[in-house]
Amino acid sequence: MSSDTERAVYIQRIDPEHKDEYLEAHEDVPEGVSDAMRRGGVTAFELYVRDDLAVCILEVEDLDAYLDEVDGDEAVEEWERFTAQFKREGVDVDDADEPIPFMDRIWTLSGDENR
């Protein structure tokens, strides 16, 4: 991660009965979603899955600018509503208070720096 980017991490809980569908959906993420993420300044995005847990790592130039860009974007909202059927919890575009459940970083090891 470059010093010019922010990293945000969030988790989603996959419905075990729909894990295969969740994975299949991510084989073909709509271009409109990728475009919105790029417009929002995303420099990297990674999705990891183990059992019913999906971990998303987002690197972005400015997190607030990213959120402004994707909030209300039709392609993003359609995608999140589609993938919601495969999850027990996670991103919820209809949750005005916390649409993306970002995690708090409590410790890191980076070079000589510990936080």
Side-chain angles (χ1 to χ4, degrees), residues 25-40 69-70 73-79:
H26 285 85
E27 290 176 8
D28 189 23
V29 175
E31 190 65 32
V33 174
S34 301
D35 289 345
M37 293 174 76
R38 286 185 194 98
R39 284 193 314 272
E69 183 65 37
V70 298
D73 181 276
E74 186 176 319
V76 172
E77 286 188 0
E78 183 177 320
W79 171 250

Side-chain angles (χ1 to χ4, degrees), residues 5-88:
T5 60
E6 297 179 59
R7 179 177 291 151
V9 178
Y10 57 97
I11 64 167
Q12 304 191 83
R13 300 265 180 204
I14 302 167
D15 181 335
E17 294 180 12
H18 296 287
K19 180 180 178 181
D20 290 341
E21 293 155 289
Y22 180 83
L23 297 175
E24 288 173 20
H26 285 85
E27 290 176 8
D28 189 23
V29 175
E31 190 65 32
V33 174
S34 301
D35 289 345
M37 293 174 76
R38 286 185 194 98
R39 284 193 314 272
V42 172
T43 58
F45 184 88
E46 297 178 330
L47 172 63
Y48 296 86
V49 173
R50 180 175 178 143
D51 298 324
D52 72 337
L53 184 65
V55 177
C56 304
I57 302 172
L58 169 73
E59 291 185 14
V60 64
E61 295 166 3
D62 180 313
L63 186 58
D64 290 332
Y66 165 75
L67 294 172
D68 288 344
E69 183 65 37
V70 298
D71 184 38
D73 181 276
E74 186 176 319
V76 172
E77 286 188 0
E78 183 177 320
W79 171 250
E80 291 302 343
R81 286 192 176 99
F82 171 69
T83 59
Q85 67 185 318
F86 310 129
K87 299 182 286 190
R88 290 186 293 151

